[in-house]
Amino acid sequence: MAQSLELLLIQFLMPDNDARRQAEDQIKRLAKDPQVVPALVQHLRTAKTPNVRQLAAVLLRKKITGHWAKLSPQLKQLVKQSLIESITLEHSAPVRRASANVVSIIAKYAVPAGEWPDLLPFLFQFSQSEQEEHREVALILFSSLTETIGQTFRPHFADMQALLLKCLQDETSNRVRIAALKAIGSFLEFTNDGAEVVKFREFIPSILNVSRQCLASGEEDVAVIAFEIFDELIESPAPLLGDSVKSIVHFSLEVSSSHNLEPNTRHQAIQIISWLAKYKYNSLKKHKLVIPILQVMCPLLAESNEAGEDDDLAPDRAAAEVIDTMALNLAKHVFPPVFEFASVSCQNASPKYREAAVTAIGIISEGCVEWMKEKLESVLHIVLGALRDPEQFVRGAASFALGQFAEYLQPEIVSHYESVLPCILNALEDESDEVKEKSYYALAAFCEDMGEEILPFLDPLMGKLLAALENSPRNLQETCMSAIGSVAAAAEQAFIPYAERVLELLKIFMVLTNDEDLRSRARATELLGLVAESVGRARMEPILPPFVEAAISGFGLEFSELREYTHGFFSNIAGVLEDGFAQYLPLVVPLAFSSCNLDDGSAVDIDGSDDENINGFGGVSSDDEAHCERSVRNISVRTGVLDEKAAATQALDILTAAHAIFQSHNEGPAKAREILDTVMNIFIRTMTEDDDKDVVAQACTSIVEIINDYGYMAVEPYMSRLVDATLLLLREESTCQQPDNDSDIEDDDDTAHDEVIMDAVSDLLPAFAKSMGPHFAPIFAKLFDPLMKFAKSSRPLQDRTMVVATLAEVARDMGSPIAAYVDRVMPLVLKELASPDAMNRRNAAFCVGELCKNGGEYYGDILRGLYPLFGDSEPDDAVRDNAAGAVARMIMVNPQSIPLNQVLPVLLKVLPLKEDFEESMAVYNCISTLVLSSNPQILSLVPELVNLFAEVVVSPEESSEVKSQVGMAFSHLISLYGQQMQPLLSNLSPAHATALAAFAPKS
């Protein structure tokens, strides 16, 4: 057999494709023979050419994977001995590496079973060899073994650290340094917690030294590996960086601004800054690195790639991402230097810098909302000036910035309509199509929140838009239609005089059938629904049938985006026509069902059926970078279908409306139940059988809406199946949660937070609880453990956010049965009060307030956990509001367990509420109740109470119910203290005093 196998291996390496295919088929047949392992071992030891030895090692790895236990002890010993010989004596680097891959696979089975006790001692000794090749292979093995038998290294952690540090500082071998860097990365992935992880900080100076040396000598690939290590350090939840963040940032900024380096190297450096801004932004603030970063990133916006270079590596694009992320996380620190850069650069002689100025302002609009609003007149001056710049790309950037303002700086931006709209009107006639397109986007965003302010501009606006819709290229017509939709929504009935002309033009678009025109047809279908909402039922209903017919005919054109927008059109029309939509249900329902049942079209065609294909044998060559991976011949992902399915699933909500419509028609309740039954069956089947997460998430959301709209009785017949489907999703066992056939199955604790599906699934539990109350208890008992799996400390932070939020809402709505879970849940929630993530702290504060209703023995722990959230160190207003709500609930449930003399001054100090006004009723009901009962602790704080009540009654965010409540409390104070209150009232502004008097009931 050995001889025939050798001939086949040689034949496989021939350039002749037919010969390779024949050899592959015969090798696959021989691979099933038990004697193939000894034959492969023999070729690994004795074959004359390195390629054959390498191929033998590759095949040996594939044969042994999963079959090690079936080998005899003698054969196991032969394999291990041969591999050690190959690693030690082999002259060919690819063969050594292929053999090292086999060792890592065998170790996965042999080391835990005690079958290879001398492997680690051998590797430690091998890593001390004077031969560069030996040290390199030892490090490669250490790296791969960490992934398979990482636990084995724990007792040797200190020795491994010393070894890696020594190899990282090996000045004699670049290959050893690279291997050391890769090994460090593997160990970082494996070591995620514990005090030992902080020791990796010691590596950072050496990594930086090696990187600088390699950049100086032109070995940029090594520097890139170093940046990959920094990625691991930054994303780790452990405190790995410490003061080293300063040196990492300064090095990354040096590389980012070095024009002589490769684009990929600079991009990696900028990416490090981006990750720091995303994951370690407090460190940037602490070490005063925000301004140094922006002083490099803002000028990079004035750079662009040379012609022919990869746009994904463009420095201006990467720098924009950094600035955007920093603005979202460090707004008050980012706005001043960016505004200063923009103010200076907008006057620069270089048009690239003028473009960078308005680009920077536009980028930070989302994150720096409050600061932008305060300086809105100044930033508008910069942007509107740039809109008149002689350079087209500067005007384009200004149009983009204006669109960002319109999207994020509402409602304040609308108050500047008199200066903004004329500039947009001028830009709509710009000679550049790019400027026009961005101006349509800006107009669409700007008009969304306008009302009657648009009326003076309506005629010139619609004149330009209608002309553009008739005469512009297709791409401009599409953005023009978006702008018309926003104008129609803002103008409402005033749009009616223009509706007829718009509808006439839409008829043209609604019958386009050429492939290149179908996106325009889709936008026209969307606009048709918006115009219908604007002009109303009376005008639309008589003229609607041909439009509906055209929309339905579009389903036969096999363009998913058109079908997606058509489902949205039907949703809009259903809202306009109300019961008049019933006539279209027989036509619309099958289309929605059809889209819901679509295959999403994702396909991965991997050659070969059993083990591997030709390329799967490793594509063996003398190239050091040869890999042993499967070949993916064809990948096809039709994401448009996914959007269509999501839109169709959402459109099925119109059927729930039809459920109500049919109650008043002759068909009666039976027809309504039939419709709901069809919808619920589709949704439940989608939850378990559909392989697209977006569609499953939309199904979950739609079920939540049905429960909220129609109550438990509507879904009671489906609850058993619905609970089973929810349980399947919580266990991550539904069809949409299964890994690809060719991907490794990850351990539960290693998966990333699945925000698409799990956030939607977690909304089901509160919906069940709200509709069922205490009767939800037996169902929650089934769902509790699968839900709590996501609360493990090893899970992503967002998973724990999801769990705590779900528990809080279930506790609120299920009531007393939550008491059975308080002991298991409270430690998690108390821990999350100190989470580094504001959303986690916010949810945890809300949750303890709900749990404390049924867990009074934890009051002391809860108060200690909440106390830091009231201090100046808490940067998030919503967290503080929820902490206030938690304390208020605790007081209302069990006031004798609260030291009111200590707690009330702290509580009043953070009021009024700043952001989460859903806490208003709990907070102000508590305070009012204490006042109305003449509690002596609250009555010692009358000056604070008067000021608080005055703030509450003038707040536009607070409900009249809340204001009436505090008004009653204020009236009670007047009845108690009479004229003694006058000095306090005289300190109020007239507006506050008047409002307070208005809400105080007269005796």
Side-chain angles (χ1 to χ4, degrees):
M1 178 179 185
Q3 185 175 4
S4 60
L5 180 59
E6 180 175 14
L7 292 174
L8 288 173
L9 295 176
I10 294 171
Q11 182 179 343
F12 178 77
L13 294 168
M14 291 176 142
D16 187 314
N17 286 335
D18 290 336
R20 287 169 63 90
R21 278 193 290 271
Q22 292 174 11
E24 178 193 5
D25 292 339
Q26 294 185 57
I27 289 171
K28 282 183 177 179
R29 284 195 292 273
L30 286 175
K32 299 176 182 178
D33 190 321
Q35 293 303 310
V36 75
V37 172
L40 290 171
V41 169
Q42 179 179 337
H43 292 308
L44 176 63
R45 303 176 78 173
T46 63
K48 294 179 181 179
T49 63
N51 281 359
V52 173
R53 297 197 298 276
Q54 183 187 0
L55 182 54
V58 171
L59 290 171
L60 185 60
R61 175 180 180 269
K62 297 181 182 299
K63 182 62 182 176
I64 285 177
T65 300
H67 297 88
W68 175 254
K70 299 177 183 178
L71 304 185
S72 67
Q74 295 81 6
L75 187 51
K76 288 179 179 179
Q77 186 59 35
L78 175 64
V79 171
K80 292 186 292 185
Q81 181 181 344
S82 301
L83 289 169
I84 295 298
E85 289 177 1
S86 176
I87 290 171
T88 308
L89 303 175
E90 174 63 58
H91 295 295
S92 166
V95 180
R96 285 197 306 273
R97 292 176 184 174
S99 296
N101 285 335
V102 188
V103 170
S104 66
I105 291 298
I106 293 175
K108 179 178 180 179
Y109 308 104
V111 172
E115 296 178 342
W116 208 345
D118 54 348
L119 177 60
L120 291 185
F122 161 74
L123 288 178
F124 274 109
Q125 180 181 356
F126 200 50
S127 65
Q128 306 295 328
S129 170
E130 293 183 1
Q131 295 187 40
E132 175 191 39
E133 295 85 357
H134 290 178
R135 300 198 303 279
E136 179 192 19
V137 172
L139 288 166
I140 291 171
L141 264 173
F142 276 130
S143 182
S144 60
L145 289 173
T146 302
E147 301 172 10
T148 55
I149 55 169
Q151 287 293 132
T152 309
F153 289 115
R154 286 210 177 275
H156 309 284
F157 186 85
D159 294 334
M160 281 302 307
Q161 185 193 26
L163 170 65
L164 291 173
L165 200 53
K166 178 182 176 182
C167 293
L168 188 61
Q169 297 169 343
D170 189 332
E171 297 294 338
T172 66
S173 171
N174 183 45
R175 287 163 57 180
V176 170
R177 292 198 301 273
I178 292 174
L181 282 174
K182 290 180 178 178
I184 291 168
S186 297
F187 271 81
L188 279 172
E189 289 181 23
F190 172 71
T191 313
N192 287 323
D193 50 24
E196 61 187 21
V197 82
V198 181
K199 296 178 183 177
F200 278 103
R201 289 181 184 174
E202 300 173 20
F203 288 76
I204 294 175
S206 295
I207 292 173
L208 291 170
N209 287 337
V210 170
S211 300
R212 280 196 168 93
Q213 293 166 8
C214 293
L215 286 175
S217 62
E219 298 170 293
E220 294 185 30
D221 54 338
V222 182
V224 170
I225 294 172
F227 287 129
E228 292 169 1
I229 299 295
F230 294 151
D231 271 354
E232 292 292 335
L233 290 167
I234 292 166
E235 293 187 40
S236 170
L240 287 177
L241 295 179
D243 290 345
S244 297
V245 69
K246 290 186 289 188
S247 53
I248 291 175
V249 166
H250 289 309
F251 174 67
S252 299
L253 292 177
E254 288 174 24
V255 175
S256 301
S257 53
S258 296
H259 297 269
N260 59 319
L261 296 177
E262 289 293 322
N264 180 59
T265 305
R266 297 180 68 197
H267 180 79
Q268 292 281 357
I270 300 173
Q271 201 63 47
I272 290 299
I273 304 295
S274 183
W275 291 138
L276 284 167
K278 183 174 184 179
Y279 295 108
K280 307 290 184 183
Y281 50 87
N282 282 327
S283 292
L284 300 182
K285 179 172 61 175
K286 175 183 175 182
H287 295 289
K288 297 181 171 32
L289 293 166
V290 174
I291 291 178
I293 289 172
L294 292 172
Q295 285 174 339
V296 172
M297 293 299 128
C298 287
L300 285 180
L301 295 175
E303 278 193 44
S304 57
N305 267 351
E306 298 297 328
E309 291 184 355
D310 187 352
D311 282 344
D312 290 338
L313 302 179
D316 57 337
R317 180 178 296 187
E321 182 183 340
V322 172
I323 296 169
D324 183 30
T325 306
M326 292 180 71
L328 290 170
N329 294 323
L330 298 163
K332 71 177 182 180
H333 302 278
V334 167
F335 178 76
V338 171
F339 179 64
E340 181 182 358
F341 169 80
S343 300
V344 173
S345 298
C346 70
Q347 304 173 51
N348 197 297
S350 166
K352 292 301 294 181
Y353 270 85
R354 299 199 300 273
E355 178 191 25
V358 284
T359 300
I361 287 290
I363 289 168
I364 66 171
S365 298
E366 181 181 5
C368 299
V369 171
E370 297 306 319
W371 290 267
M372 293 281 285
K373 287 179 177 179
E374 289 179 7
K375 291 276 191 179
L376 189 50
E377 204 158 313
S378 299
V379 295
L380 269 177
H381 177 74
I382 294 172
V383 171
L384 296 181
L387 209 54
R388 299 186 294 271
D389 196 278
E391 292 290 344
Q392 167 259 314
F393 57 84
V394 179
R395 299 195 303 275
S399 298
F400 160 77
L402 206 53
Q404 294 292 99
F405 290 2
E407 186 167 352
Y408 297 114
L409 304 185
Q410 298 287 358
E412 285 80 358
I413 185 70
V414 173
S415 65
H416 293 268
Y417 68 92
E418 290 180 331
S419 59
V420 173
L421 276 180
C423 291
I424 295 179
L425 277 166
N426 288 336
L428 294 180
E429 295 184 338
D430 197 280
E431 62 186 25
S432 162
D433 282 353
E434 180 187 355
V435 175
K436 287 180 183 175
E437 187 171 9
K438 290 178 179 177
S439 298
Y440 289 134
Y441 156 68
L443 178 63
F446 192 84
C447 293
E448 276 184 6
D449 286 284
M450 290 189 73
E452 61 184 17
E453 303 96 337
I454 201 173
L455 299 183
F457 301 91
L458 190 56
D459 201 54
L461 267 177
M462 287 307 301
K464 293 180 188 297
L465 291 173
L466 288 169
L469 193 57
E470 288 187 77
N471 304 312
S472 297
R474 282 283 185 253
N475 64 314
L476 291 184
Q477 288 176 325
E478 291 165 18
T479 52
C480 176
M481 283 189 267
S482 295
I484 292 174
S486 293
V487 171
E492 297 181 339
Q493 294 293 302
F495 187 78
I496 291 174
Y498 309 96
E500 182 178 355
R501 182 64 185 137
V502 171
L503 292 172
E504 284 298 316
L505 290 171
L506 292 184
K507 287 180 182 178
I508 300 171
F509 289 97
M510 295 285 288
V511 295
L512 298 174
T513 56
N514 292 333
D515 289 348
E516 63 271 18
D517 296 329
L518 294 184
R519 182 168 281 105
S520 296
R521 179 169 177 169
R523 293 291 180 186
T525 305
E526 177 189 38
L527 176 56
L528 179 59
L530 297 174
V531 171
E533 286 186 323
S534 180
V535 303
R537 177 175 179 174
R539 287 179 170 80
M540 282 302 299
E541 192 167 22
I543 63 172
L544 198 57
F547 287 107
V548 172
E549 183 180 347
I552 291 173
S553 70
F555 270 77
L557 298 175
E558 296 303 316
F559 188 63
S560 60
E561 187 175 346
L562 175 57
R563 295 195 296 264
E564 174 195 349
Y565 282 113
T566 303
H567 288 306
F569 162 70
F570 289 142
S571 295
N572 291 342
I573 292 300
V576 172
L577 298 186
E578 297 178 334
D579 60 347
F581 190 70
Q583 61 181 306
Y584 298 113
L585 283 174
L587 302 172
V588 171
V589 171
L591 299 177
F593 290 166
S594 173
S595 291
C596 284
N597 291 322
L598 279 174
D599 182 351
D600 65 19
S602 301
V604 180
D605 177 20
I606 301 180
D607 297 337
S609 55
D610 291 332
D611 290 345
E612 308 296 335
N613 53 47
I614 292 177
N615 291 326
F617 287 139
V620 179
S621 70
S622 59
D623 187 338
D624 285 1
E625 298 302 316
H627 295 290
C628 310
E629 297 179 356
R630 301 174 67 150
S631 171
V632 178
R633 175 176 289 174
N634 178 40
I635 299 178
S636 171
V637 181
R638 289 172 15 226
T639 55
V641 175
L642 308 186
D643 294 334
E644 175 192 343
K645 291 175 73 175
T649 307
Q650 187 172 10
L652 284 177
D653 290 345
I654 67 177
L655 304 186
T656 63
H659 177 268
I661 290 171
F662 276 118
Q663 295 286 1
S664 60
H665 279 66
N666 293 333
E667 293 87 343
K671 185 65 174 178
R673 170 56 67 183
E674 179 186 338
I675 291 173
L676 187 62
D677 187 62
T678 304
V679 172
M680 287 301 299
N681 285 329
I682 284 182
F683 287 161
I684 295 172
R685 186 174 72 248
T686 297
M687 290 171 68
T688 58
E689 297 178 12
D690 202 288
D691 58 3
D692 174 55
K693 291 183 178 181
D694 287 308
V695 176
V696 175
Q698 183 59 59
C700 294
T701 300
S702 296
I703 289 172
V704 169
E705 291 174 358
I706 289 172
I707 295 172
N708 292 339
D709 288 345
Y710 299 105
Y712 173 71
M713 294 308 296
V715 297
E716 190 274 335
Y718 315 98
M719 276 306 293
S720 176
R721 291 166 55 213
L722 196 49
V723 170
D724 288 344
T726 304
L727 195 57
L728 202 67
L729 287 163
L730 284 175
R731 289 173 175 163
E732 299 179 284
E733 295 174 355
S734 76
T735 301
C736 72
Q737 294 164 307
Q738 301 310 302
D740 295 333
N741 291 333
D742 60 340
S743 66
D744 294 331
I745 296 176
E746 296 177 334
D747 181 81
D748 283 347
D749 292 351
D750 293 333
T751 55
H753 175 68
D754 190 344
E755 62 182 17
V756 173
I757 188 68
M758 293 316 303
D759 288 357
V761 173
S762 65
D763 287 341
L764 286 167
L765 277 69
F768 295 158
K770 186 176 182 180
S771 67
M772 299 177 71
H775 301 291
F776 180 53
I779 294 175
F780 186 61
K782 297 179 182 178
L783 303 176
F784 179 75
D785 285 336
L787 174 68
M788 292 303 291
K789 176 190 72 173
F790 294 91
K792 293 180 180 179
S793 60
S794 55
R795 298 288 301 198
L797 181 141
Q798 297 96 324
D799 276 3
R800 300 196 296 279
T801 300
M802 174 193 79
V803 172
V804 173
T806 302
L807 290 170
E809 295 185 50
V810 169
R812 177 191 62 199
D813 294 319
M814 186 170 72
S816 58
I818 198 66
Y821 302 92
V822 169
D823 288 342
R824 293 181 61 185
V825 167
M826 192 62 80
L828 163 70
V829 182
L830 290 173
K831 182 179 179 182
E832 291 305 308
L833 286 173
S835 169
D837 183 78
M839 183 57 71
N840 276 35
R841 297 195 302 276
R842 177 180 182 175
N843 287 335
F846 175 55
C847 191
V848 293
E850 294 297 334
L851 291 176
C852 74
K853 296 176 182 177
N854 299 283
E857 66 272 19
Y858 289 96
Y859 267 41
D861 294 329
I862 293 172
L863 287 174
R864 281 188 291 275
L866 288 173
Y867 181 72
L869 307 185
F870 288 89
D872 293 337
S873 61
E874 174 51 63
D876 192 283
D877 286 336
V879 172
R880 197 175 289 108
D881 291 348
N882 278 267
V887 169
R889 290 179 177 89
M890 294 168 72
I891 294 172
M892 292 298 290
V893 172
N894 202 353
Q896 63 272 22
S897 297
I898 303 288
L900 292 177
N901 61 325
Q902 300 174 40
V903 169
L904 287 175
V906 176
L907 175 61
L908 291 181
K909 186 179 178 181
V910 303
L911 298 178
L913 300 176
K914 309 294 191 302
E915 184 170 330
D916 192 345
F917 296 97
E918 291 185 11
E919 295 297 295
S920 293
M921 188 56 70
V923 170
Y924 299 125
N925 180 52
C926 169
I927 291 173
S928 298
T929 300
L930 290 174
V931 172
L932 292 170
S933 65
S934 298
N935 181 283
Q937 304 297 337
I938 197 79
L939 293 182
S940 67
L941 300 166
V942 170
E944 290 87 345
L945 289 172
V946 171
N947 289 329
L948 170 62
F949 291 164
E951 292 289 344
V952 171
V953 295
V954 299
S955 170
E957 305 290 347
E958 298 293 359
S959 68
S960 57
E961 185 179 0
V962 166
K963 294 178 181 180
S964 297
Q965 200 169 46
V966 300
M968 290 177 60
F970 173 70
S971 183
H972 185 70
L973 292 177
I974 294 290
S975 70
L976 290 178
Y977 298 105
Q979 289 302 313
Q980 299 176 53
M981 296 283 287
Q982 196 56 43
L984 299 177
L985 297 177
S986 63
N987 288 332
L988 299 176
S989 71
H992 285 76
T994 302
L996 200 50
F999 279 96
K1002 306 297 186 289
S1003 57

